Amino acid sequence: MVVRPPVPKREAMRYVKVFMSPEDGDLHPAAENLADNPNVSRQAIQHLNLLNDGTAVTLSRLRGDRTELERILSETEDILRYDVSEAGDDLQAYIHFVPNATTLALMELTREHELVLDTPVEYNSDGSIRVSVIGQDDTVQKAIDHVPDNVRLELEQLSDYDPELRELSSLLTDRQREILDAAVEVGYYRVPRNATHEDIADLVGISTTTVGEHLRKIEARLLSEIAK
């Protein structure tokens, strides 16, 4: 008789999205110098990795004046190296930096609790950061319990992880995801609808005509995929 080892119990995978407001520091290494600068704005962190030597690298998407951004990065003490390039209407910055205590603690949480950071990490109009992670049910809760005291969290979404929904999201461009998230945030898709194209345009900083064009493309792309 063949004795088969017991099949380990599979724990539920959870998808968690939170608004994060660090009171001291930010995930972006030049956050303090960028926060009040009218010529450059942070849009999203596309990748963020902690290296074995305790330094970190990030690939960020920003908008504004390239020369001003390069000046800010060159004058930020904890940045070891950077490279800025243009990506359509946006700027893309690769930055190697020494993380502050808050950033280091948050990044070590994801490593310690084996969480997957679901990028991009998005910046909201009020300066808070929208962060999404994927992990096992019990470890997600433990990680939340160990978030540093100087970081304020507001839960936006807690649900079972559905890979098919994430695949749908991957069909959209970064700009389309930004506009779709803004539409959801202001209540455009609530029933009854309590927001307009103008509300989305004000939040994202584009014209109402452009919002309408993007939403039509987003809806057509997602609906055509669902209908397959």
Side-chain angles (χ1 to χ4, degrees), residues 1-8:
M1 182 178 66
V2 178
V3 178
R4 299 185 183 276
V7 177

Side-chain angles (χ1 to χ4, degrees), residues 70-127:
E70 290 178 333
R71 181 192 66 78
I72 292 171
L73 297 181
S74 68
E75 295 176 357
T76 301
E77 183 177 352
D78 291 333
I79 291 179
L80 305 175
R81 186 167 69 89
Y82 69 87
D83 181 70
V84 177
S85 59
E86 296 181 8
D89 295 333
D90 295 335
L91 300 172
Q92 189 166 270
Y94 168 88
I95 306 172
H96 181 200
F97 66 103
V98 179
N100 59 43
T102 300
T103 302
L104 183 60
L106 291 171
M107 295 181 74
E108 287 180 338
L109 270 182
T110 63
R111 177 182 291 183
E112 178 184 350
H113 295 282
E114 299 179 347
L115 301 177
V116 176
L117 182 65
D118 188 27
T119 53
V121 175
E122 298 170 327
Y123 283 89
N124 300 305
S125 57
D126 61 359

Side-chain angles (χ1 to χ4, degrees), residues 164-178:
E164 292 186 1
L165 291 180
R166 303 311 302 161
E167 289 174 5
L168 282 177
S169 177
S170 69
L171 298 174
L172 305 178
T173 66
D174 289 343
R175 187 61 160 162
Q176 287 173 336
R177 283 197 295 270
E178 178 187 6

Side-chain angles (χ1 to χ4, degrees), residues 51-62:
L51 305 182
N52 291 333
D53 63 0
T55 63
V57 291
T58 180
L59 185 65
S60 299
R61 181 164 52 86
L62 305 99

Side-chain angles (χ1 to χ4, degrees), residues 153-166:
L153 292 183
E154 180 182 342
L155 182 65
E156 181 186 13
Q157 179 182 343
L158 175 61
S159 61
D160 291 337
Y161 173 60
D162 187 340
E164 292 186 1
L165 291 180
R166 303 311 302 161

